[in-house]
Amino acid sequence: MGHVNNAVYLKWVQEAVVDYWSTVAPPSAVAAHLWVAMKHEITYLKPTFLQDNVVAEVIAEKVQGARAFFRTVLRRGDDVLSEIQSTWCCLDAASLRPARLARDIVARFLPPSA
């Protein structure tokens, strides 16, 4: 049908969330932690094609233990193409075990609680 498939959406989401983490977190935290996707829920709003210039906006919604919850919005210009809710597990890079992030790291990408 000419539009991208689920694998492409998931690749874009993974790249966007990992890039977001690498941009927001300090280099020491990036080096010490890895992220593994646990769940993605994609809501498709408009078809997306390989030639489209797609921009991803990542919003960190909450952190609970070693899990982080993100919303990724994919856009083509002003058009919202899809919204993806995803759950990720933070791992210690050395042990590969789930790891909680320090509060000062979490504060870098979550808004202050009201």
Side-chain angles (χ1 to χ4, degrees):
M1 295 187 318
H3 57 78
V4 299
N5 65 20
N6 295 340
V8 174
Y9 283 94
L10 294 175
K11 180 180 180 223
W12 288 341
V13 170
Q14 180 168 329
E15 289 173 354
V17 170
V18 170
D19 184 57
Y20 174 82
W21 164 252
S22 298
T23 301
V24 174
S28 60
V30 172
H33 299 92
L34 302 172
W35 289 94
V36 176
M38 297 176 67
K39 178 181 177 181
H40 297 295
E41 184 177 311
I42 304 172
T43 301
Y44 301 99
L45 302 168
K46 294 190 178 202
T48 308
F49 305 94
L50 281 176
Q51 72 275 10
D52 288 345
N53 183 19
V54 176
V55 175
E57 175 188 11
V58 176
I59 301 105
E61 295 188 323
K62 74 176 181 176
V63 173
Q64 188 174 47
R67 292 181 297 159
F69 301 83
F70 295 94
R71 180 166 56 99
T72 304
V73 179
L74 297 178
R75 289 188 172 88
R76 175 183 54 231
D78 292 333
D79 291 333
V80 175
L81 304 171
S82 60
E83 293 184 7
I84 302 93
Q85 298 291 135
S86 56
T87 306
W88 295 72
C89 182
C90 180
L91 302 178
D92 177 275
S95 70
L96 301 181
R97 297 187 50 83
R100 290 178 183 257
L101 293 172
R103 287 182 193 217
D104 63 314
I105 303 300
V106 172
R108 289 174 169 254
F109 61 90
L110 282 181
S113 53

